[in-house]
Amino acid sequence: MFHKILIANRGEIAVRVIRACKQMGIKTVAVYSEADRDLLHVKLADESVCVGSPSAAKSYLNVPNIMSAAQITGADAIHPGYGFLAENQQFAEICDKHQIHFIGPPIEAMGMLGDKARARGLAERLNVPVIPGTDVLADLDEALKKAKQIGYPVMIKAVAGGGGKGMRFVTSPAELEKNLPIARAEAEASFNDGRVYLEKYLIEPRHIEVQILGDRSGNVVAVGERECSLQRQHQKIMEEAPSIAVTPPVRKKDTGTRDQDWQRSSLRWRGNH
Amino acid sequence: MDPNGKFYFIEANARIQVEHPITEMVSGLDLIREQIHVAFGDPLSIKQEEIRIEGHAIECRVNAEDPETFSPSTGKIEKLHWPGGPGIRVDSHIRQGDKVTPFYDSLLGKIMAWGTNRDESIQRMLCALDECEVLGIKTNIPLHRQLLRHPDIVQGKLHVGLVEALLLEKVFG
């Protein structure tokens, strides 16, 4: 087992990881910013290293300082927690280069899943359903044809999109005809890129997650789902497990397909997600 | 997932999630321990057919923010008491006397309530929220209390726009 783990995080998750390490008999190293020197994770860890000034960019995201802290203390693994460096592929590569284990998925999986378009492409290849959508629309005729196939209501979205610009909700062909040029003009004005596409609009959807764990030999398990629909501005407020909307047959199918599909996908997990 | 129960893949988050404890409470697993083991090269401790989901768990994220305006609240924690009792777990780093600074996210901790069924976990969470005491800074605990008493949430009629719709209608406060 690892001899010593550095926790590249702060707050409750740093405390959570330190507690798990203690129970496993693994030594721990906390890192902290100048603003956090009196916090609990610093007190609970066996060793601690200050990695910079209060702003996250200069401390918890400061890769050279965090790598130095790991080397000085002789840590053989780094747990990134969530946020900060947890999904930073470059950081995982740097850990690898320095023979320090990054506790998370393998680098190729981070690259694949970090890019939403690639992740969606992978899901499609594995026959996991994705929200029906189109490629860039050539003209109104194509838009009308594709919208009919997908089924109304649909969302017109800008390829370069963000912040709701170039986005239009339409419920009928007449609305699509009226709103397509508006969305294009808005996207052109906002992003200097007028390309738009369509996506099916889901009415009052739920946000459901499936917890998956996998090991290096390719064993993958699904540990049920979580209902995370209570959100404000895309930030979760309250979650529950299991979801009352997921019936036993759906659960069997959903966790079952994911399990098999992810195994087939040749992604070898070093962590969970 | 749409109202007809149809699933669409959105993304896979390749990391431990904030809300992982509720899965731990209903499965009995320690997900961080599993992460560390598989990172070392050990096999998973459990097979799919051995996984049992028992009971129901809810997590409330306790944030240092104004429950009405949602603006971050900073300052010294003058008094702190986290709840306890059967089925209650608290994952937090804050202690009485700590200063909440504006540099990082506003999460003070997470209260989890497990029950043999959903109603019991809601009931236990309501008791835990009532017991919880954080003085010196504002928290969103009042919002959690109101959410857990709203009929749509009690009945589980949830969707991603629900909280914002309820806030817009000024259902609370």
Side-chain angles (χ1 to χ4, degrees), chain A residues 1-256:
Chain A
M1 186 34 71
F2 296 127
H3 165 67
K4 194 185 278 184
I5 294 177
L6 179 141
I7 296 96
N9 214 305
R10 65 182 299 282
E12 68 86 18
I13 192 63
V15 170
R16 168 73 184 88
V17 176
I18 291 168
R19 285 175 175 155
C21 290
K22 278 180 186 280
Q23 291 181 2
M24 296 172 79
I26 300 168
K27 293 229 172 333
T28 51
V29 181
V31 295
Y32 62 94
S33 75
E34 285 165 9
D36 283 352
R37 60 175 73 249
D38 296 323
L39 284 194
L40 185 60
H41 72 289
V42 180
K43 186 181 157 60
L44 291 183
D46 296 300
E47 293 168 76
S48 59
V49 181
C50 181
V51 288
S53 50
S55 93
K58 294 199 170 135
S59 51
Y60 299 104
L61 293 169
N62 187 332
V63 174
N65 285 7
I66 288 170
M67 291 311 295
S68 302
Q71 289 187 317
I72 294 164
T73 54
D76 48 359
I78 294 181
H79 195 301
Y82 52 69
F84 297 128
L85 298 166
E87 287 164 285
N88 185 322
Q89 189 186 349
Q90 209 190 345
F91 178 64
E93 284 167 357
I94 291 167
C95 289
D96 218 40
K97 231 174 262 170
H98 290 82
Q99 276 100 48
I100 291 174
H101 290 264
F102 176 83
I103 301 176
I107 288 158
E108 58 273 25
M110 290 177 83
M112 173 79 78
L113 300 174
D115 178 334
K116 282 198 186 190
R118 283 180 72 195
R120 185 187 155 103
L122 173 66
E124 280 182 304
R125 285 200 299 283
L126 297 169
N127 294 319
V128 175
V130 296
I131 297 178
T134 68
D135 291 327
V136 175
L137 297 168
D139 51 30
L140 178 63
D141 281 348
E142 191 193 357
L144 288 166
K145 206 176 100 192
K146 294 273 173 68
K148 199 179 166 192
Q149 286 169 7
I150 295 169
Y152 290 92
V154 295
M155 204 67 156
I156 308 171
K157 285 185 163 182
V159 171
K165 299 281 184 206
M167 213 189 243
R168 282 291 182 283
F169 171 73
V170 295
T171 60
S172 66
E175 280 184 28
L176 179 57
E177 191 169 346
K178 186 179 150 220
N179 282 285
L180 188 66
I182 300 174
R184 279 209 167 118
E186 203 174 274
E188 184 68 46
S190 305
F191 315 112
N192 200 25
D193 180 353
R195 292 178 301 156
V196 295
Y197 64 100
L198 297 179
E199 196 175 89
K200 187 174 179 64
Y201 182 80
L202 300 183
I203 296 164
E204 302 193 340
R206 288 171 184 260
H207 175 137
I208 309 276
E209 302 178 342
V210 180
Q211 175 70 52
I212 303 168
L213 287 161
D215 65 23
R216 281 194 206 174
S217 321
N219 302 310
V220 181
V221 298
V223 195
E225 78 282 349
R226 290 186 289 260
E227 160 87 60
C228 306
S229 300
L230 296 179
Q231 309 179 353
R232 182 183 162 270
Q233 293 183 348
H234 302 289
Q235 295 290 312
K236 296 168 192 164
I237 300 176
M238 196 187 290
E239 307 92 345
E240 58 184 291
S243 165
I244 61 165
V246 180
T247 55
V250 172
R251 185 172 297 126
K252 192 159 191 298
K253 181 168 174 284
D254 186 59
T255 57

Side-chain angles (χ1 to χ4, degrees), chain B residues 116-127:
Chain B
T116 50
N117 54 47
R118 190 170 184 270
D119 288 345
E120 189 180 52
S121 69
I122 292 175
Q123 195 50 43
R124 283 178 166 176
M125 181 61 88
L126 283 168
C127 291

